Amino acid sequence: VHRSLGSHISKVRSLQLDRLPFECEQLLQVLGNTRVNAMLEENLSTSATLKQGSSRQEREEFIRNKYVHRMYVALHRRTMPLQDLKKHARQAIADG
C-alpha cells in the first residue's frame, strides 16, 4: 500500500539495499520505529485503527490520514513549523 501512494507521500526503503542520508539514518536509530509511530499515532482512537481484515481502501485511507494529513499527531506537533521539527530532530540525534 505504501508504494502505491507515491514517494512524495511515503518512501519505502530497505535498510539493507538503500543508502539513507546520514541525518535520517541517525534520527531513525535514535528514535526507532516504535517512537516514531507513537508520535504519528498519538491521537489515534481505537475506532480508527486498522483491523486484521481491513480492506485495501481502508488501509490506503489510514496511511493517507497518518502520513499526509497527520490526523493522529498531537495538535502541538501538527502545527509546529518544519524548521522547529528539524531542530528537535537534530537535538534528538545529538542527545543520542
Side-chain angles (χ1 to χ4, degrees):
V1 173
H2 283 271
R3 290 186 192 277
S4 69
L5 296 175
S7 63
H8 63 289
I9 294 174
S10 177
K11 291 184 181 184
V12 178
R13 300 211 181 217
S14 165
L15 295 177
Q16 320 291 243
L17 302 175
D18 294 325
R19 184 86 181 133
L20 297 174
F22 179 74
E23 190 174 73
C24 181
E25 186 177 330
Q26 291 294 304
L27 183 62
L28 289 174
Q29 287 180 356
V30 169
L31 294 178
N33 200 47
T34 302
R35 281 190 193 154
V36 172
N37 275 323
M39 288 189 300
L40 292 173
E41 297 176 358
E42 195 168 355
N43 287 336
L44 178 64
S45 68
T46 52
S47 63
T49 58
L50 290 173
K51 312 292 185 266
Q52 182 102 12
S54 295
S55 69
R56 180 178 178 86
Q57 182 178 356
E58 290 168 324
R59 291 178 189 283
E60 285 180 8
E61 183 178 340
F62 176 82
I63 290 169
R64 277 189 203 284
N65 288 339
K66 180 176 176 179
Y67 295 106
V68 178
H69 306 299
R70 298 194 303 162
M71 283 179 58
Y72 315 121
V73 174
L75 185 59
H76 70 279
R77 293 187 208 283
R78 200 176 325 156
T79 58
M80 186 181 289
L82 183 59
Q83 190 147 337
D84 288 352
L85 286 172
K86 288 180 178 181
K87 184 175 87 174
H88 287 292
R90 284 190 200 96
Q91 188 61 49
I93 291 169
D95 292 345

